[in-house]
Amino acid sequence: MTFTTSPFDDDKLHEECALFGIYGTPDAAAHTALGLHAQQHRGQEATGIVAFDGQQFSAHRGLGHVGDNFGDPSVIQRLKGHAAIGHNRYATTGATVARNSQPLFAEFESGGFAVGHNGNLTNAMELRKDLVRRGCLFQSTTDSEVIVHLMALGRGLSVIDRLVGAMRQVEGAYSLVALSPAGLIGVRDPHGVRPLVLWPLRYQDCEVLSCDSYVARTLTSSSLSNRSVTT
């Protein structure tokens, strides 16, 4: 057998997708864009932010880098709210197309729900086939959408109950940030393989979730109000 490159060239950490969430600040989308920009190395295929102002959700998702999508201040201004989550995509399943951009969003009986996912669900294909047989209509080819459909079919009145029920059915290594009228939600797999940290934002009474502890620590240790995202 002949290797065109060293078999050990690929022996390094593979960082898959960036996650960022924040709750309790009036410029949540701007903070989220900065958090995603600082994690651009974790995913370059697509990016997205979903914000919540207490009444309605607003979203922007697109292919390309953070600066390409959120460098225009008018885009951030449309994402109003005190809470937001964001995602940079590095594809492990599904094609690089706009419909696979995250965070995903769905309307449940209890209100809107947005989720960003990092990692792999090892039983996603099996679950997807079962969900399709039960009548679920998938809008993307990512394994992440399985979680949303499991929640839709789940029991329980609250979003938290439905999310817990869904996560009990999936297997793999993953972390999630989610946003609902109930608040900002963070989830890690039972073994904690995929990172997710909770960090207080200095000078403000709010919290940050990120899959990169350095980014969370750096961004929350200083004022972000005078910074902007550029390409």
Side-chain angles (χ1 to χ4, degrees):
M1 180 180 293
T2 301
F3 291 98
T4 55
T5 59
S6 170
F8 299 106
D9 286 347
D10 205 40
D11 186 20
K12 58 183 182 294
L13 177 66
H14 293 273
E15 297 181 297
E16 300 169 356
C17 300
L19 299 177
F20 192 89
I22 189 167
Y23 187 93
T25 180
D27 52 353
H31 284 67
T32 302
L34 287 168
L36 294 177
H37 186 65
Q39 298 179 78
Q40 188 69 84
H41 61 285
R42 298 185 67 95
Q44 298 83 40
E45 298 179 15
T47 187
I49 293 175
V50 175
F52 181 62
D53 65 1
Q55 298 294 324
Q56 63 181 12
F57 290 84
S58 54
H60 179 92
R61 291 178 288 267
L63 299 178
H65 290 183
V66 176
D68 298 333
N69 284 275
F70 301 107
D72 185 344
S74 65
V75 176
I76 295 295
Q77 291 170 5
R78 290 195 296 269
L79 300 172
K80 300 182 183 300
H82 63 281
I85 63 171
H87 182 274
N88 289 340
R89 175 171 165 78
Y90 173 92
T92 54
T93 64
T96 303
V97 292
R99 66 192 178 111
N100 285 338
S101 302
Q102 296 188 37
L104 302 176
F105 181 79
E107 287 280 359
F108 296 129
E109 183 180 359
S110 57
F113 178 79
V115 61
H117 166 228
N118 171 38
N120 287 304
L121 306 181
T122 56
N123 63 337
M125 186 60 68
E126 177 185 349
L127 290 172
R128 186 186 182 103
K129 290 179 179 178
D130 179 64
L131 288 166
V132 169
R133 284 194 296 266
R134 297 167 69 181
C136 293
L137 301 175
F138 280 78
Q139 303 299 313
S140 74
T141 58
T142 67
D143 56 354
S144 313
E145 193 178 352
V146 166
I147 297 169
V148 175
H149 287 289
L150 289 174
M151 290 179 64
L153 296 176
R155 297 179 179 178
L157 297 178
S158 73
V159 168
I160 299 297
D161 290 338
R162 289 175 178 265
L163 180 58
V164 170
M167 301 318 296
R168 285 175 174 167
Q169 299 177 66
V170 302
E171 300 171 358
Y174 55 82
S175 57
L176 309 176
V177 291
L179 186 61
S180 80
L184 180 66
I185 305 164
V187 179
R188 289 202 307 174
D189 65 81
H191 301 289
V193 176
R194 293 293 177 190
L196 191 66
V197 296
L198 177 67
W199 210 272
L201 182 62
R202 190 178 178 185
Y203 309 127
Q204 297 190 45
D205 185 20
C206 67
E207 303 288 339
V208 165
L209 277 171
S210 175
C211 60
D212 191 313
S213 60
Y214 176 79
V215 169
R217 185 170 62 252
T218 301
L219 293 183
T220 57
S221 64
S222 60
S223 174
L224 304 178
S225 58
N226 294 324
R227 302 185 185 183
S228 61
V229 178
T230 58
T231 54

